[in-house]
Amino acid sequence: MPQLKQIHAQTLRTVDTNHPQALFLYTRILLYSSLADLNYATLVFHHFSHPNSFMWNTLIRAYARSTNTNYKHKAMELYKAMVMVEEKNAVPDNHTFPFVLKACAYTFSLWEGKQVHAHALKRGFELDTHVCNSLIHFYATCGCLDLAEKIFYKMNERNEVSWNIMIDSYAKGGKFDTALKTFGEMQKEHDPDGYTMQSVFSACAGLGSLSLGLWAHAYILKKCDKNIVDDVLVNTCLVDMYCKCGELEIAKQVFESMPARDVNSWNSIIMGFAMHGKAEAALDYYVRMVKAEKIVPNSITFVGVLCACNHRGMVDEGIVHFDLMTKEYNVEPRLEHYGCLVDLFARAGRIDEALNMVSEMPIKPDAVIWRSLLDACCKHHASVELSEEMVKQVFESEGSECSGVYVLLSKVYASACRWNDVGLLRKLMSDKGVTKEPGCSLIEIDGEVHEFFSGDTTHPQSENIYKFVNEIEEKLQSIGYLPDYSGATMVDEANDGKQNTLRLHSERLAIAFGILNSRPGVPIRVFKNIRVCNDCHRVSKLISRIYNVELIVRDRARFHHFKDGVCSCMDYW
């Protein structure tokens, strides 16, 4: 910048503003200053009474790319000023709209972005590839995936960027199947690049589809050049995918073989160990990261470290790392960090300390924090009054009523033998139209994903599955198994009815199907949308011992590895 300012000063003194090359010279000064000092670039821009389109675009782009949110908003303000000028040499073009839409996407300014979209249509850029790509990204970022999709399929010409944005939008929007189908369509027209494969790995992770993930990994090794194979982002996505698909050992192998690693790579492996309950390994890698590799941890690193402590009940270690985060690394605690620490106290039964943490937080607690406290109240038999207060806080934080909260409160009432309140709660749910979220489990066999709901009879192999469920039940009873009814229905029905409900939970059906159809020695992987209940957790341990099978179950909170009658969580979950 000092040299650029000297050139600028020399230009002001020696170059006549009417010189044919003066405008070109000043646009270069504006361009280079916009890359280093936005305040100075703004002064350069306003020095001109009639800036051309290139100059407007240069500053709008600089504002849009800035990490400062205030400048993102200024990009829109500058665009409005450009539109108001209405000069022939300062008309918005196909470079202007992508920059403005990028700023709108970052600030989630849906209304302003729609107006920019209307301007682009008026200017005749309806089918311009670059503008359409930016519109797809903008609408997908703002949660309007249907509009993004509509623009994508209306395009006359789609380049690699168009496909990458659409596939990534599907993956981030939770439409993992559609993301992979779109990837298949893309291959007919374009070769995928590193960005494509990152989205594909994310989709495989979301589905828990190990076979597709392995295929995608093999694809880049065979089809892509060394730059993509060794790319830090691609390999970080691979580590994350294998962790989320339950293959921690392969994730570790990929991580260790990476030619280079950044902070995100370390975060992925630390978080992977944490979600699998391998707290000691997570902390070892954290120490290796900061001590041996000299990489400075960031906010996400400490979420992983605190999650690792949380899943193993390491309260004192969690407090130490929280203090390190704030005092040694000057990382400002976010809601996720406070949530981990509150949950750490609450799970350990230290509910008073958890409540103190909530009361001292400088950030307003969200529904997740209040739900973790309610869950702790339920598990540790806290007073009914305290549990009711937690429910009230959840509803106030969420702004809507969640079935899971009613279920937890019903368990509190049931443990206090307040059966009238349990019945009233069920009636209240019915009156308000609140339905319990159905348990759903996915299992992949030979590359095909099978879906099961609680009590499901729609699967083609249902008859065989239910026969095998009965066989499992008989073997469980022969070794003295007694059901834990805490995960059964909300009402005080007969125990036989509750037991029948428990044995038909979605993961039990998926496990039965897996044992019937898997090859011997191959771990059975089940992915469930809600937390595993106490009874299914105990039964899974027993099944792993009786049938000599390894079960890997991912629920909403974490992974459980069942083998030889033992779970990796050590019954702390």
Side-chain angles (χ1 to χ4, degrees), residues 395-410:
F395 287 154
E396 286 181 1
S397 300
E398 278 195 330
S400 60
E401 298 187 350
C402 167
S403 63
V405 175
Y406 282 106
V407 172
L408 285 173
L409 185 57
S410 75

Side-chain angles (χ1 to χ4, degrees), residues 192-305:
D193 57 17
Y195 295 105
T196 320
M197 299 315 295
Q198 289 175 48
S199 302
V200 169
F201 293 142
S202 295
C204 293
L207 282 174
S209 178
L210 180 61
S211 64
L212 283 171
L214 287 165
W215 175 88
H217 189 182
Y219 181 92
I220 64 165
L221 293 174
K222 289 179 181 178
K223 301 275 189 178
C224 299
D225 61 42
K226 196 173 186 301
N227 290 333
I228 294 176
V229 172
D230 292 341
D231 184 78
V232 174
L233 286 173
V234 169
N235 280 283
T236 299
C237 286
L238 263 176
V239 170
D240 182 63
M241 184 269 291
Y242 280 123
C243 287
K244 288 177 178 174
C245 288
E247 263 298 347
L248 196 55
E249 197 55 41
I250 300 181
K252 186 177 170 183
Q253 289 172 16
V254 172
F255 179 83
E256 295 296 348
S257 66
M258 289 175 69
R261 307 179 192 99
D262 62 8
V263 67
N264 296 319
S265 313
W266 287 95
N267 289 347
S268 289
I269 195 69
I270 290 168
M271 189 65 84
F273 281 123
M275 75 171 76
H276 283 267
K278 307 280 186 183
E280 293 81 5
L283 296 179
D284 286 346
Y285 270 70
Y286 164 72
V287 171
R288 182 178 149 196
M289 169 189 173
V290 296
K291 300 292 184 187
E293 302 293 334
K294 306 297 183 187
I295 293 178
V296 179
N298 61 16
S299 178
I300 298 169
T301 313
F302 285 104
V303 171
V305 169

Side-chain angles (χ1 to χ4, degrees), residues 406-422:
Y406 282 106
V407 172
L408 285 173
L409 185 57
S410 75
K411 290 179 182 179
V412 172
Y413 286 147
S415 63
C417 296
R418 289 172 53 171
W419 301 112
N420 286 338
D421 288 326
V422 174

Side-chain angles (χ1 to χ4, degrees), residues 297-326:
N298 61 16
S299 178
I300 298 169
T301 313
F302 285 104
V303 171
V305 169
L306 292 171
C307 279
C309 295
N310 191 6
H311 287 316
R312 288 304 290 268
M314 299 161 68
V315 179
D316 294 336
E317 289 87 344
I319 295 169
V320 167
H321 286 294
F322 187 87
D323 289 340
L324 270 175
M325 176 183 79
T326 55

Side-chain angles (χ1 to χ4, degrees), residues 70-358:
N70 291 330
Y71 278 121
K72 302 277 188 187
H73 289 289
K74 282 186 178 181
M76 189 64 197
E77 291 171 13
L78 195 62
Y79 170 71
K80 289 176 183 175
M82 181 184 188
V83 172
M84 294 295 289
V85 167
E86 293 183 346
E87 292 185 357
K88 287 183 180 180
N89 66 337
V91 176
D93 56 25
N94 63 336
H95 297 290
T96 315
F97 295 112
F99 302 147
V100 181
L101 288 166
K102 183 175 183 177
C104 290
Y106 186 90
T107 56
F108 301 105
S109 303
L110 181 60
W111 179 244
E112 288 84 351
K114 284 187 173 182
Q115 293 179 66
V116 176
H117 186 181
H119 285 186
L121 293 177
K122 286 182 180 179
R123 295 281 175 186
F125 297 113
E126 182 179 6
L127 299 177
D128 182 90
T129 303
H130 300 297
V131 173
C132 286
N133 288 346
S134 298
L135 283 168
I136 292 166
H137 173 257
F138 160 69
Y139 281 120
T141 303
C142 291
C144 302
L145 198 52
D146 55 333
L147 294 176
E149 194 175 50
K150 190 175 179 181
I151 292 165
F152 177 77
Y153 283 108
K154 272 189 173 181
M155 291 174 70
N156 287 339
E157 185 181 339
R158 306 183 193 100
N159 58 16
E160 291 92 334
V161 176
S162 316
W163 288 98
N164 285 347
I165 293 171
M166 201 64 240
I167 292 168
D168 187 57
S169 299
Y170 283 134
K172 286 178 177 173
K175 292 191 171 186
F176 308 119
D177 273 327
T178 312
L180 294 174
K181 286 175 185 173
T182 308
F183 170 63
E185 292 175 27
M186 175 188 181
Q187 289 176 282
K188 297 172 186 175
E189 299 181 22
H190 299 283
D191 290 328
D193 57 17
Y195 295 105
T196 320
M197 299 315 295
Q198 289 175 48
S199 302
V200 169
F201 293 142
S202 295
C204 293
L207 282 174
S209 178
L210 180 61
S211 64
L212 283 171
L214 287 165
W215 175 88
H217 189 182
Y219 181 92
I220 64 165
L221 293 174
K222 289 179 181 178
K223 301 275 189 178
C224 299
D225 61 42
K226 196 173 186 301
N227 290 333
I228 294 176
V229 172
D230 292 341
D231 184 78
V232 174
L233 286 173
V234 169
N235 280 283
T236 299
C237 286
L238 263 176
V239 170
D240 182 63
M241 184 269 291
Y242 280 123
C243 287
K244 288 177 178 174
C245 288
E247 263 298 347
L248 196 55
E249 197 55 41
I250 300 181
K252 186 177 170 183
Q253 289 172 16
V254 172
F255 179 83
E256 295 296 348
S257 66
M258 289 175 69
R261 307 179 192 99
D262 62 8
V263 67
N264 296 319
S265 313
W266 287 95
N267 289 347
S268 289
I269 195 69
I270 290 168
M271 189 65 84
F273 281 123
M275 75 171 76
H276 283 267
K278 307 280 186 183
E280 293 81 5
L283 296 179
D284 286 346
Y285 270 70
Y286 164 72
V287 171
R288 182 178 149 196
M289 169 189 173
V290 296
K291 300 292 184 187
E293 302 293 334
K294 306 297 183 187
I295 293 178
V296 179
N298 61 16
S299 178
I300 298 169
T301 313
F302 285 104
V303 171
V305 169
L306 292 171
C307 279
C309 295
N310 191 6
H311 287 316
R312 288 304 290 268
M314 299 161 68
V315 179
D316 294 336
E317 289 87 344
I319 295 169
V320 167
H321 286 294
F322 187 87
D323 289 340
L324 270 175
M325 176 183 79
T326 55
K327 294 172 184 174
E328 186 171 331
Y329 293 104
N330 297 317
V331 173
E332 186 177 346
R334 289 160 46 181
L335 198 57
E336 295 91 336
H337 303 110
Y338 285 112
C340 285
L341 207 56
V342 169
D343 198 36
L344 184 58
F345 283 126
R347 283 196 201 196
R350 294 160 66 167
I351 296 174
D352 288 339
E353 289 172 85
L355 289 169
N356 288 338
M357 171 66 70
V358 171

